[in-house]
Amino acid sequence: MSTLADTRAIVTGAAGGIGAALAAELISRSATVVLADLSETVTDTAAELGTGAHSWVGDVSAVAGIDELIAFADDRLGGVDMYFANAGIIGPPDLGSSDADWDTVIDVNLRAHIRAAQALIPRWKEAGAGHFVATASAAGLLTQIGSAAYSVTKHASVGFAEWLSLTYRDDGIRASVICPMGVDTDLLRAAGSSGPAQSAVTEAGTVLTPAAVATIALDAVEAEQFLILPHPEVLDMYRMKGSDYDRWLKGMSRFQNRLNEQNRLNEETTHAGND
């Protein structure tokens, strides 16, 4: 029997993609789950999963939303043993054009994690157990060509989960962070169908299905593993970065220039075809 049997979990960003896949895999391992999302389609996703799945619609980046979500989980599940901070957005391209651009992505990709932890850690300390799982990205270990906000917030997400892991380990609390490269989700498509941000991901390695990521992630969660890499090659890239930072930066700059040139040529071809 899975060690996740009878676990009570919240998964955010669960209307589709990795979130829905995590919820499905949790239920297959006999956990009960609240699927949370801004989109009302999360109710359909939960209904398809059947018994053990409950849906909640709201903003998981706001303090009030998180409080309501946890209260809902307490009512439906009887408590929260695991929190999967999975909701995320790609954010503005390049540097963005305003503080508002950055505020939104910081709220969703980082502050949502902080606010959920602030609500849950005290009760988990009292219980002597709990597990916080953040969906970050390989961009949190490497970088994201084409989007400063996404890269910065995913780095911060990794750093926050790391801090949780070392700070509360002796209280029985665990933290994990999932850092995939390409996954076939709406988030990947939101990076732009032919832009350098998406090309940087799709050219770096295999694009995995959400279900494959969920299986790998929950196997690692059961093993209480902190750093979860659905694409194992990310570890080699991370080691290369750390071994010679300047060389890595120069190589990434060349890679970005190649992608930009490729994107320019694609746009010229498309425009010529439309003439």
Side-chain angles (χ1 to χ4, degrees), residues 73-91:
D74 285 341
D75 179 64
R76 298 303 175 91
L77 308 182
V80 180
D81 305 306
M82 284 190 170
Y83 191 93
F84 289 78
N86 173 74
I89 58 175
I90 189 66

Side-chain angles (χ1 to χ4, degrees), residues 66-259:
I66 289 168
D67 289 344
E68 290 174 14
L69 171 58
I70 292 172
F72 179 85
D74 285 341
D75 179 64
R76 298 303 175 91
L77 308 182
V80 180
D81 305 306
M82 284 190 170
Y83 191 93
F84 289 78
N86 173 74
I89 58 175
I90 189 66
D94 299 323
L95 286 170
S97 58
S98 68
D99 281 353
D101 282 345
W102 279 78
D103 285 343
T104 301
V105 70
I106 290 171
D107 275 346
V108 176
N109 290 0
L110 176 60
R111 289 195 182 109
H113 299 200
I114 296 168
R115 290 163 177 165
Q118 287 171 332
L120 290 167
I121 292 296
R123 62 160 68 185
W124 286 350
K125 285 181 69 175
E126 185 175 348
H131 202 140
F132 190 96
V133 185
T135 300
S137 167
L141 300 172
L142 304 170
T143 195
Q144 177 60 58
I145 287 173
S147 177
Y150 187 81
S151 180
V152 168
T153 54
K154 290 304 182 178
H155 272 76
S157 174
V158 173
F160 183 64
E162 178 184 282
W163 186 88
L164 290 178
S165 180
L166 66 90
T167 301
Y168 298 108
R169 177 168 293 274
D170 289 345
D171 294 301
I173 298 169
R174 298 291 178 261
S176 300
V177 63
I178 309 169
C179 294
M181 285 198 293
V183 185
D184 187 15
T185 65
D186 289 342
L187 185 65
L188 178 62
R189 289 181 283 277
S193 60
S194 61
Q198 188 192 58
S199 298
V201 175
T202 56
E203 289 195 16
T206 302
V207 175
L208 298 177
T209 65
V213 172
T215 299
I216 293 166
L218 289 181
D219 285 348
V221 165
E222 288 202 77
E224 297 187 350
Q225 181 178 328
F226 172 74
L227 183 59
I228 303 172
L229 299 175
H231 296 81
E233 59 267 35
V234 170
L235 184 57
D236 291 332
M237 297 176 187
Y238 188 48
R239 286 170 172 161
M240 184 182 300
K241 175 182 177 179
S243 68
D244 192 335
Y245 223 132
D246 287 319
R247 180 184 178 188
W248 181 83
L249 286 168
K250 291 174 184 176
M252 288 297 290
S253 181
R254 288 194 298 270
F255 182 42
Q256 176 179 251
N257 290 338
R258 180 172 67 79
L259 292 175

